[in-house]
């Protein structure tokens, strides 16, 4: 089946590929001659001259070159240690002279880094900024998800978006905060990570926890490009949850009842018949994770085409893509997600001084599935306030294997009249159920209809760039308007079905069924108003830019006005941001850099008069390698840098905290019931809320060594977030009847981060590139609203401790029989327990405060909820036309609890394989990995403690890829083709391998392989 799907999808792509290939037309070519010299008119040999994508040549010893130009409107000239040049040419031009200027490391045109509302050369940036070139990413790694470009490939970022451990950074896409769900790497030019205050402050409140700045692709003058990309892969579940079969469940549940001194529920005969498969309609045994319901593997297909180019008057970038992701469900309507995306970015030269850009983006995501979902409406019918209370995966996690048979063969029913007119599955089965279980997973998959959820995303950006050099050299003004719209609609089919419960007449022995519910076949569909969603965002930003050099003095300055407004369902008011900003970067003698950036932020969440705040930042840079006293030797470039700033934000949820608000409640009677009135409830008491603040320092260095073979940067960072708006739950006396909000909590994060990259050509045919990336961060609670703990509970204090600290009890194994007297009481010397009665097999805890009682005051720090270290490396080796790439990623310092229902098993819940290791008659080991089973909710055992704690440290290989590059010959219909094979998540190393690598109550965690190609024309 998998091979058929592969052949079908690859055939469709091949047809698509051939059609495009045959339409790649060759243009007329002319021969361009020229000479390349330096600033002293000395000829330069070995300069690379290229026209378009496929024409390349080198200058000879006299600096002369000759190149065939097809369609291209420009040539590019590049030579090591000189600034690269792109030179426009005309159709009639046949000769040209090129004068090259010596370059400075990190000051070339290619070294310009995208920053908020502008660019700066890498050499004059004083902040901690990392830039990721997506073309370089695709040269070795063909994953197209945004996270794959960041995670493990830059220092200072945990995962793909947690900058310096502060939390999830904001995504800024083409100048505006936007969701990263509707863009992939095929549309992106580069990604810039802003990790210090001076580099990100212009985004105001949104910049509080770091910025991931995304710049999309645009066309270039004279560079025609047509690229087709396809990637087909198969994913397998790393592991699936393993639950007990019906007979084992019944056996162990009986043991749980006996442990609680209660009578057993299942007879030995029932258990034996179930294990033997006797009379399965009365002794069912259902495996919800079998291949009848869950596929062994799923496939995906990504296809993308892009075209770009342009001339002096207009440039364009067009891309369209399709992706299909197969779902795991193996019955009913095919579960799949299809995505269609298109982007058109264009630039126009309206006059010699005025330019315009216009971008249009459209994305449609559509998820189709059998209607196995239950929706819990949390508010009004159409307020988008809902939760998904269950789906296939939650039911597979909770439905007992012996609750009821999914299918009842009518051959086993001796009273046919009892199912007269019933819907039959495959003409011979009834859907099983009971009065308690009126739904059946098999029925949900096949007879409840289907569900289609569609996201429609639309985006328009338009702007003008006006050169005002007529007023003064280096002056320009830009303005951009943006519009984003997202709509989600959910359509369900209105079908229902009956289930049947079998029973045997005790007198006659006749087997009949009782019908529960009704079969309602229908093709009608309805829109789920609860699940409908929309958002609309308008944005505007305008800048006044000044870029001028006066001898040894260079200044680049930007003045900013920035406004965004977003409307979403159930928002009490429109979400609006208003910033006025300034960035001024001054450099003297190419050695000393001073940067000031500040923003004046407006908020609708604060009282008039207090709703604007100024956030100042500043930084210094010293390019010490340009000093006369510095002996460069192997050093190409070395810069010391530092920045400091005070950021401010209004990133709390509630609005109007500065006003008191009330609501009416129930009626109450008084004066012997003759008079009634209504309660007046306090919703909020006015509080003098002020801006939340973040004080940051960032110091480090950046350098290039050994003729640009080695690059390194490292930083020390300190970030104190304080005056955080907090509901003072503990500090407000209960007698007041309400809770008070204030600027209270404070947290400190500090650490180091670094990036090291090395590239080297070992020979003509062999090149290597390697990188090391890491971040170490420690968070501390500086101030927090917490209870006033007594002397016996000081270990519970959070203030001054790790901000990711996990508090719990320290386990000392399990109670054994020797811990109890014959009457069931604990022996003398053991502390009493306040979590209910205990018996052998229950978890034993350490009396931390030595008061002779085990209670919540014995909690202490037992772990850390957040990793303190992430480290990674990547390595790429090229041999002739082959490339091999591998990425390794690990983390250290994080702990987690095994507290899902897979481990915390109580009552009559479904039993996982973990119960096989439980303390019991056949396993009285006090160091067993599971406590005794209980048919009730065991308050002693199922609470946070070291018993359930495990280290989530790991090392993994997220991706590994081998590729082959085929370069087209002259007059071939393609320029080059890259074939690749890649694997994802193939290797994971950790101490808890089996427990970590499957999803409980969700679709499986996957690993897989894919094949693909990229071709340019």
């Amino acid at each position: 089946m998998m091979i058929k799907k592969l052949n079908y999808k690859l055939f469709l792509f091949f047809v698509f590929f051939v059609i495009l290939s045959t339409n790649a037309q060759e243009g007329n070519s002319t021969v361009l001659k020229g000479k390349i010299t330096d600033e002293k008119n000395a000829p330069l040999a070995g300069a690379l001259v290229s026209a378009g994508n496929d024409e390349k040549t080198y200058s000879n010893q006299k600096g002369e070159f000759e190149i065939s130009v097809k369609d291209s409107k420009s040539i590019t000239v590049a030579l090591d240690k000189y600034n690269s040049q792109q030179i426009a040419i005309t159709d009639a031009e046949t000769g040209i002279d090129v004068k090259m200027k010596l370059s400075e490391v990190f000051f070339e045109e290619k070294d310009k880094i995208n920053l908020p509302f502008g660019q700066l050369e890498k050499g004059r940036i004083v902040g901690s900024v990392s830039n990721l070139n997506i073309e370089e990413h695709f040269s070795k790694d063909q994953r197209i998800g945004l996270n794959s470009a960041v995670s493990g490939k830059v220092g200072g970022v945990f995962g793909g978006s947690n900058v310096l451990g502060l939390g999830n950074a904001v995504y800024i896409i083409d100048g505006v905060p936007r969701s990263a769900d509707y863009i992939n790497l095929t549309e992106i030019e580069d990604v810039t990570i802003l990790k210090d205050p001076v580099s990100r402050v212009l985004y105001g409140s949104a910049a509080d926890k770091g910025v991931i700045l995304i710049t999309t692709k645009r066309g270039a003058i004279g560079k025609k490009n047509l690229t087709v990309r396809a990637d087909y892969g198969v994913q397998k579940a790393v592991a699936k949850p393993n639950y007990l079969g019906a007979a084992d469940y019944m056996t162990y549940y009986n043991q749980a009842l006996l442990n609680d001194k209660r009578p057993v529920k299942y007879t030995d005969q029932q258990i034996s018949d179930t294990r033997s498969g006797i009379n399965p309609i009365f002794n069912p045994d259902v495996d919800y994770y079998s291949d009848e319901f869950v596929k062994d593997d799923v496939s995906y297909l990504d296809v993308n085409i892009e075209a770009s180019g342009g001339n002096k008057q207009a440039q364009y970038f067009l891309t369209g893509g399709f992706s299909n992701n197969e779902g795991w469900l193996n019955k009913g309507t095919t579960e799949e997600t299809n995505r269609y995306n298109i982007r058109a970015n264009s630039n126009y030269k309206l006059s010699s001084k005025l330019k315009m850009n216009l971008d249009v983006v459209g994305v449609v995501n559509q998820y189709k599935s059998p209607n196995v979902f239950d929706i819990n409406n949390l508010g009004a019918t159409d307020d988008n306030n809902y939760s998904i209370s269950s789906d296939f995966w939650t039911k597979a996690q909770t439905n007992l294997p012996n609750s009821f048979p999914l299918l009842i063969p009518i051959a086993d029913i001796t009273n046919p009249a009892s199912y007269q007119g019933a819907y039959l599955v495959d003409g011979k089965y009834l859907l099983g159920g009971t009065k308690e279980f009126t739904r059946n997973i098999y029925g949900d998959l096949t007879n409840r209809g289907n569900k289609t959820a569609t996201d429609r995303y639309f985006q328009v950006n338009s702007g003008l760039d006006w050169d005002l050099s007529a007023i003064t050299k280096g002056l320009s003004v830009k303005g951009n308007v943006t519009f984003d719209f997202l709509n989600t609609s959910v359509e369900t089919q209105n079908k229902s079905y009956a289930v049947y419960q079998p029973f045997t007449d005790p007198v006659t022995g006749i087997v009949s069924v009782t019908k529960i519910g009704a079969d309602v076949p229908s093709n009608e569909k309805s829109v789920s108003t609860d699940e409908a969603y929309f958002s609309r965002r308008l944005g505007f930003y305008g800048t006044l830019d000044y870029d001028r050099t006066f001898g040894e003095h260079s200044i680049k300055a930007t003045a900013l006005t920035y406004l965004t407004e977003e409307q979403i369902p159930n928002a009490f008011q429109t979400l609006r941001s208003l910033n006025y900003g300034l960035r001024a970067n001054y450099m003297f003698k190419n050695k000393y850099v001073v940067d000031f950036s500040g923003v004046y932020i407006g908020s609708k969440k604060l009282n008039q008069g207090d709703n604007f705040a100024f956030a100042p930042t500043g930084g210094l840079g010293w390019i010490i390698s340009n000093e006369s006293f510095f002996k460069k030797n192997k050093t190409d470039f070395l810069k010391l840098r530092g920045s400091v700033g005070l950021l401010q934000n209004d990133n709390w949820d509630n609005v109007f905290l500065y006003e008191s608000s009330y609501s009416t409640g129930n009626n109450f009677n008084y004066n012997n019931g003759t008079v009634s009135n209504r309660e007046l409830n306090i919703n909020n008491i006015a509080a003098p809320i002020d801006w939340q603040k973040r004080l940051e320092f960032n110091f480090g260095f950046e350098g290039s060594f050994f003729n640009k073979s080695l690059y390194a940067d490292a930083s020390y960072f300190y970030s104190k977030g304080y005056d955080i708006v907090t509901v003072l739950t503990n500090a407000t006396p209960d007698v007041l009847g309400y809770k008070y909000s204030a600027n209270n909590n404070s947290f400190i994060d500090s650490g180091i981060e670094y990036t090291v990259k090395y590239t080297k050509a070992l020979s003509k045919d062999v090149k290597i590139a390697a990188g090391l990336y890491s971040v170490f961060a420690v968070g501390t609670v500086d101030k927090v609203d917490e209870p006033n703990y007594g002397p016996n509970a000081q270990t519970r204090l959070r203030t001054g401790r790790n901000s990711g600290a996990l508090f719990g009890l320290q386990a000392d194994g399990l109670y054994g029989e020797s811990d109890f007297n014959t009457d069931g009481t604990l022996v003398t010397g053991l502390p009493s327990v306040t979590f209910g009665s205990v018996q052998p097999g229950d978890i034993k805890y350490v009396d931390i405060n030595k008061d002779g009682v085990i209670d919540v005051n014995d909690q202490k720090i037992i772990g850390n909820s957040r990793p303190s270290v992430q480290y990674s490396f990547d390595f790429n080796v090229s041999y002739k036309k082959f490339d091999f790439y591998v990425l390794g990623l690990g983390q250290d310092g994080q702990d987690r609890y095994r507290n899902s229902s897979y481990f915390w098993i109580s009552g009559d819940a479904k039993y996982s394989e973990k119960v096989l290791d439980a303390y019991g008659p056949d396993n009285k080991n006090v160091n067993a990995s599971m406590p005794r089973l209980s048919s009730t909710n065991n308050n002693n055992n199922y609470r946070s403690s070291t018993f359930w704690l495990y280290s989530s440290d790991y090392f993994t290989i997220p991706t590994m890829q081998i590729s082959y590059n085929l370069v087209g010959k002259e007059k071939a219909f393609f320029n080059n083709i890259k074939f690749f094979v890649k694997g994802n998540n193939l290797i994971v190393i950790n101490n808890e391998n089996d427990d970590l690598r499957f999803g409980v109550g969700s679709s499986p965690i996957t690993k897989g392989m894919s094949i693909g190609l990229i071709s340019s024309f």
Side-chain angles (χ1 to χ4, degrees):
M1 182 64 182
M2 186 181 74
I3 298 299
K4 289 182 179 179
K5 289 188 291 185
L6 173 61
N7 291 338
Y8 175 72
K9 292 181 178 179
L10 289 183
F11 173 75
L12 289 179
F13 169 69
F14 179 75
V15 173
F16 180 56
F17 179 79
V18 170
I19 292 173
L20 288 173
S21 301
T22 57
N23 282 282
Q25 302 294 321
E26 292 239 357
N28 296 325
S29 63
T30 59
V31 176
L32 179 69
K33 298 180 180 180
K35 184 176 182 180
I36 302 172
T37 60
D38 62 14
E39 294 177 276
K40 297 180 180 179
N41 294 320
L44 294 175
L48 172 63
V49 183
S50 57
N53 297 311
D54 52 352
E55 294 296 333
K56 296 179 181 179
T57 189
Y58 292 89
S59 59
N60 59 23
Q61 293 297 320
K62 297 180 180 180
E64 298 170 341
F65 69 89
E66 183 176 308
I67 189 169
S68 177
V69 181
K70 298 182 300 183
D71 296 330
S72 181
K73 300 299 181 182
S74 67
I75 63 170
T76 300
V77 183
L79 181 63
D80 190 34
K81 298 183 180 180
Y82 288 84
N83 290 325
S84 299
Q85 294 188 46
Q86 184 175 352
I87 303 167
I89 56 176
T90 64
D91 293 335
E93 199 162 17
T94 58
I96 189 171
D97 290 326
V98 181
K99 194 175 292 295
M100 303 286 284
K101 294 183 178 181
L102 283 170
S103 67
E104 292 188 64
V105 179
F106 296 149
F107 283 94
E108 297 183 45
E109 183 69 23
K110 67 179 182 179
D111 295 317
K112 286 187 175 180
I113 305 298
N114 289 308
L115 293 174
F117 312 104
Q119 293 182 323
L120 279 177
E121 292 86 355
K122 190 176 183 69
R124 63 189 297 171
I125 293 176
V126 300
S128 178
V129 174
S130 297
N131 182 257
L132 301 164
N133 183 281
I134 303 306
E135 184 178 354
E136 181 183 343
H137 164 89
F138 277 136
S139 69
K140 52 193 177 185
D141 185 353
Q142 295 308 315
R143 295 176 298 163
I144 65 173
L146 177 58
N147 186 71
S148 66
V150 179
S151 181
K153 294 183 177 180
V154 59
V157 181
F158 289 95
S161 62
N162 186 346
V163 175
L164 304 183
L166 302 180
N168 289 328
V170 64
Y171 288 98
I172 304 293
I173 302 176
D174 287 341
V176 177
R178 287 174 166 138
S179 170
D181 295 337
Y182 302 100
I183 193 169
N184 63 53
L185 293 181
T186 62
E187 305 169 65
I188 297 174
E189 184 72 29
D190 69 18
V191 178
T192 307
I193 316 296
L194 310 178
K195 297 175 283 187
D196 76 295
V198 75
S199 67
R200 71 181 197 262
V201 67
L202 291 184
Y203 280 109
S205 293
D208 180 54
K209 295 181 179 180
V211 171
I212 299 177
L213 189 67
I214 296 170
T215 304
T216 59
K217 294 179 180 178
R218 312 202 72 84
I221 297 174
K223 287 188 175 181
K224 274 193 172 182
N225 176 59
L226 177 64
T227 300
V228 179
R229 180 190 182 281
D231 182 5
Y232 177 85
V234 175
Q235 302 288 311
K236 295 183 68 69
V238 173
K240 295 178 183 178
N242 190 4
Y243 290 97
L244 298 189
D248 286 335
Y249 169 77
M250 297 158 76
T251 300
Y252 280 89
Y253 184 66
N254 277 351
Q255 183 59 56
L257 291 166
L258 291 173
N259 290 343
D260 295 332
K261 299 178 174 55
R262 300 170 65 188
V264 299
K265 181 177 181 179
Y266 304 105
T267 67
D268 291 341
Q269 187 64 48
Q270 285 178 298
I271 296 173
S272 176
D273 288 350
T274 301
R275 196 179 302 278
S276 301
I278 297 173
N279 204 1
I281 68 171
F282 293 104
N283 300 295
D285 186 3
V286 180
D287 179 4
Y288 292 96
Y289 283 90
S290 69
D291 56 12
E292 182 175 13
F293 301 109
V294 181
K295 297 174 184 176
D296 291 330
D297 55 68
V298 294
S299 65
Y300 73 87
L301 173 68
D302 285 316
V303 179
N304 180 78
I305 178 173
E306 68 177 61
S308 63
N311 52 33
K312 292 181 180 180
Q313 300 304 315
Q315 304 87 48
Y316 64 91
F317 170 78
L318 301 171
T319 183
F322 167 75
S323 68
N324 170 265
N325 288 271
E326 185 181 17
W328 287 95
L329 301 184
N330 207 18
K331 286 228 175 270
T333 301
T334 300
E335 184 192 21
E336 63 178 356
T337 301
N338 291 312
R339 173 190 169 102
Y340 311 85
N341 68 281
I342 186 168
R343 174 182 290 272
N345 290 355
S346 57
N347 295 76
Y348 307 95
K349 186 176 181 181
L350 304 181
S351 71
S352 61
K353 300 294 184 180
L354 186 62
K355 301 176 184 177
M356 175 185 175
N357 70 277
L358 177 63
D359 309 336
V360 179
V361 179
V363 181
V364 176
N365 280 339
Q366 190 171 75
Y367 170 74
K368 297 180 180 179
S369 166
N371 190 12
V372 294
F373 301 90
D374 292 311
I375 302 301
N376 183 19
N377 184 4
L378 302 177
T381 303
D382 56 354
D383 63 355
N384 192 243
N385 189 11
Y386 75 96
S387 66
I388 296 177
S389 56
S390 69
D391 60 7
F392 171 83
W393 303 105
T394 56
K395 291 171 183 174
Q397 172 195 0
T398 56
N399 284 4
L400 298 180
N402 64 327
S403 291
F404 57 89
L406 290 183
L407 296 176
I408 302 172
I410 58 174
D412 294 344
I413 309 303
T414 54
N415 178 16
S418 64
Y419 62 84
Q420 186 68 35
Y423 166 79
L424 297 179
V425 178
D426 296 334
K428 55 184 177 180
Y429 298 104
L430 297 169
L431 292 170
T434 67
K435 291 181 179 179
E436 180 184 359
F437 299 99
T438 60
R439 295 267 296 281
N440 174 314
I441 279 187
Y442 198 106
D444 281 358
L445 290 169
T446 60
N447 279 56
R448 197 166 176 249
N450 53 60
K451 181 173 185 175
T452 302
T454 305
D455 292 341
R456 300 173 181 88
Y457 176 72
F458 179 69
Q459 176 194 132
V460 177
N461 309 311
S462 184
L464 293 172
D465 182 349
W466 191 9
D467 184 354
L468 300 179
S469 57
I471 299 175
T472 184
K473 185 178 179 181
L475 187 66
S476 64
V477 63
K478 299 182 181 72
N480 284 270
V481 178
T482 67
F483 173 75
D484 296 70
F485 179 79
L486 171 65
N487 167 263
T488 298
S489 62
V490 178
E491 191 176 64
T492 57
Q493 193 172 359
N494 302 317
K495 294 178 66 175
S496 62
Y497 58 89
V499 296
Y500 296 82
Q501 183 172 2
F503 67 93
T504 302
D505 189 300
V507 177
T508 63
I510 295 176
V511 179
S512 303
V513 291
T514 299
K515 183 178 180 179
I516 303 166
D519 292 310
V520 183
S522 173
N523 290 322
E524 292 183 1
K525 295 185 178 182
S526 63
V527 175
S528 174
T529 54
D530 270 329
E531 298 174 85
Y533 178 85
F534 84 94
S535 68
R536 182 170 60 240
R537 180 192 291 270
L538 293 172
F540 167 79
Y541 60 90
T543 61
L544 181 65
D545 301 299
Y546 184 66
D547 185 354
R548 190 78 177 270
T549 298
F550 303 91
E552 296 178 328
H553 306 270
S554 176
I555 185 168
K556 292 188 177 184
T558 297
L560 165 73
T561 297
Y562 169 77
L563 170 68
T564 64
E565 181 177 282
E566 183 177 15
Q567 292 181 320
I568 59 175
N570 305 319
F572 196 69
Q573 63 175 209
T574 300
L575 306 178
R576 183 176 295 167
S577 297
L578 175 63
N579 300 338
Y580 302 103
L582 174 67
R583 175 175 59 228
N585 181 281
Y586 167 75
M587 185 168 64
F588 178 59
K589 290 186 175 181
N590 278 15
K591 301 177 186 177
Y592 315 109
V593 186
V594 180
D595 195 310
F596 170 81
S597 295
V599 64
Y600 195 52
I601 314 169
S603 173
K604 293 186 70 175
K605 297 180 181 179
L606 291 163
N607 200 2
Q608 291 290 334
D610 301 320
N611 58 341
F612 276 90
F614 183 62
T617 67
L620 298 174
W622 180 20
I623 305 174
I624 193 171
S625 56
N626 284 351
E627 293 286 2
S628 58
F629 62 79
F630 188 86
K631 296 182 180 179
K632 285 195 171 184
N633 295 327
K634 303 295 184 179
T635 302
D636 310 307
F637 176 89
L638 181 61
K639 175 179 65 182
L640 305 181
R641 54 172 170 77
S643 62
V644 61
L646 177 65
L647 307 180
Q648 305 205 51
N649 73 83
D650 63 350
N651 298 334
W652 58 87
D653 294 330
N654 296 326
V655 296
F656 301 127
L657 290 177
Y658 55 87
E659 292 183 348
S660 296
S661 61
Y662 308 88
S663 62
T664 56
N666 297 322
N667 288 328
F668 64 93
N669 299 322
Y670 59 96
N671 196 21
N672 296 321
T674 61
V675 182
S676 67
N677 210 332
R678 301 197 71 174
E679 297 173 347
L680 185 64
N681 298 322
I682 301 172
N683 296 332
N684 181 68
I685 292 296
I689 298 299
D690 198 1
W691 292 84
Q692 297 181 151
K693 302 173 182 65
R694 184 177 297 279
L695 177 64
E696 286 198 345
F697 305 89
N698 193 296
F699 303 102
F701 76 90
E702 181 177 25
S704 176
F705 310 91
F706 305 108
N707 196 24
K708 302 181 184 178
S709 293
L710 179 67
Y711 169 81
D713 76 62
S715 297
Y716 166 79
F717 59 89
Y718 171 94
S719 179
K720 179 180 179 180
Y722 64 100
D723 281 353
I724 297 174
V725 173
T726 309
V727 178
L728 300 179
T729 303
N730 297 293
T732 307
D734 291 338
V735 70
L736 291 178
Y738 60 83
K739 300 300 179 184
Y740 189 73
S741 297
N743 296 94
N744 186 79
N745 290 1
S746 174
F747 300 90
I748 297 173
D749 294 274
S750 61
I752 59 173
E753 53 100 358
Y754 66 83
T755 295
V756 179
K757 296 180 181 181
Y758 181 75
T759 57
K760 184 71 173 179
L762 301 181
S763 67
K764 178 183 177 182
D765 295 327
V766 181
K767 299 177 183 178
I768 61 170
L772 292 173
Y773 319 90
S774 187
V775 56
F776 169 77
V778 175
T780 305
V781 178
D782 182 58
K783 180 183 179 183
V784 70
D785 175 54
E786 61 181 332
N788 185 18
Y789 293 114
N792 283 345
Q794 291 298 298
T795 55
R796 300 179 66 187
L797 285 171
R798 293 182 61 199
T799 302
R801 310 285 184 84
N802 192 305
S803 57
L806 293 172
F807 288 81
L809 299 169
Q810 181 177 331
D812 187 20
L814 305 174
Y815 286 110
E817 293 179 341
S818 61
D819 292 321
F820 295 87
N821 298 310
T822 55
D823 61 357
T825 59
L826 288 167
V827 299
T828 303
L830 289 179
S832 61
V833 180
T834 63
F835 307 132
S837 61
V838 293
Q839 59 177 279
D842 286 326
I843 299 175
K844 182 195 293 186
Y845 300 112
V846 176
D847 184 12
I848 296 297
N849 58 15
K850 307 297 182 183
D851 65 353
V853 178
I854 300 296
D855 58 16
V856 293
N857 289 330
D858 290 303
Q859 292 180 359
K860 66 170 189 173
I861 295 176
I862 59 175
N864 187 13
S865 65
R866 47 188 275 190
S868 56
V869 177
Q870 178 177 294
Y871 56 92
S872 59
F873 72 87
D874 62 356
F875 178 75
N876 186 80
V877 58
S878 301
Y879 175 69
K880 293 186 176 180
K881 297 180 180 180
F882 289 93
D883 289 290
F884 172 76
Y885 176 76
V886 62
L887 172 68
L889 173 69
Q891 74 168 37
D892 185 73
Q894 184 180 38
D895 302 294
R896 293 181 179 174
Y897 290 117
R898 296 186 187 89
N899 57 5
S900 71
S901 61
Y902 199 75
F903 301 94
W904 283 18
I905 302 167
S906 60
D908 60 354
K910 193 169 185 175
Y911 281 7
S912 74
E913 63 177 350
K914 297 301 176 182
V915 304
L916 302 177
D917 299 321
Y919 183 98
D922 299 326
N923 179 19
K924 295 188 176 182
N925 183 358
V926 295
N927 293 312
S929 61
M930 287 287 288
R932 71 175 179 91
L933 299 177
S934 175
S935 61
T936 64
N937 295 321
N938 192 307
N939 194 37
N940 179 80
N941 294 342
Y942 300 123
R943 58 179 54 247
S944 298
S945 74
T946 56
F947 189 88
W948 304 107
L949 196 71
Y950 69 91
S951 169
S952 65
D953 298 344
Y954 66 83
F955 176 78
T956 181
I957 302 294
T959 189
M960 187 183 301
Q961 177 178 300
I962 298 175
S963 57
Y964 177 78
N965 301 284
L966 180 63
V967 179
K969 296 180 180 179
E970 188 175 358
K971 295 186 179 181
F973 68 86
F974 65 90
N975 292 329
N976 55 70
I977 299 178
K978 178 191 288 284
F979 299 93
F980 61 87
V981 178
K982 62 182 173 72
N984 67 284
N985 297 331
L986 300 180
I987 300 174
V988 176
I989 302 172
N990 56 57
N991 294 327
E992 309 290 339
N993 197 48
D994 293 335
D995 293 346
L996 287 174
R997 302 193 69 189
F998 57 79
V1000 176
S1002 63
S1003 58
I1005 297 171
T1006 63
K1007 62 180 179 181
M1009 299 287 294
S1010 71
I1011 59 174
L1013 60 83
I1014 303 174
S1015 179
S1016 63
F1017 305 94

